[in-house]
Amino acid sequence: MLEHRHAELAGTVLGARDKAAMADSLPVQIGSFLEDFQVMDVHRQKAHLQTTLKAAHISRDGRIELEFRG
């Protein structure tokens, strides 16, 4: 019983480490995306966004909420 629980907890710890590593790398990935995106022409930007975004909601106070495709 304890061995089974130990294995479960070890899996949880590994999952948490993976999430932390992904969170640490996210700003770098976003920066790289923005650099690549900015040099595209407008038509390619739009086509790329259509494959990534499901919706963009802009509120009257200027906030933008993006809904990504799953």
Side-chain angles (χ1 to χ4, degrees):
M1 172 99 170
L2 285 177
E3 289 178 10
H4 177 70
R5 182 71 177 139
H6 182 270
E8 285 180 1
L9 291 174
T12 301
V13 168
L14 288 176
R17 286 183 185 157
D18 289 345
K19 286 181 184 178
M22 287 174 42
D24 289 343
S25 70
L26 187 60
V28 174
Q29 292 174 354
I30 291 172
S32 175
F33 169 81
L34 288 175
E35 288 173 6
D36 293 344
F37 191 78
Q38 289 173 343
V39 297
M40 291 180 190
D41 66 82
V42 174
H43 298 291
R44 288 191 64 210
Q45 288 175 341
K46 182 178 177 181
H48 189 67
L49 287 176
Q50 286 177 332
T51 64
T52 308
L53 290 177
K54 183 175 183 180
H57 306 282
I58 303 171
S59 62
R60 292 181 190 265
D61 64 3
R63 288 181 302 116
I64 301 173
E65 182 180 324
L66 302 176
E67 188 177 341
F68 293 93
R69 296 188 187 278

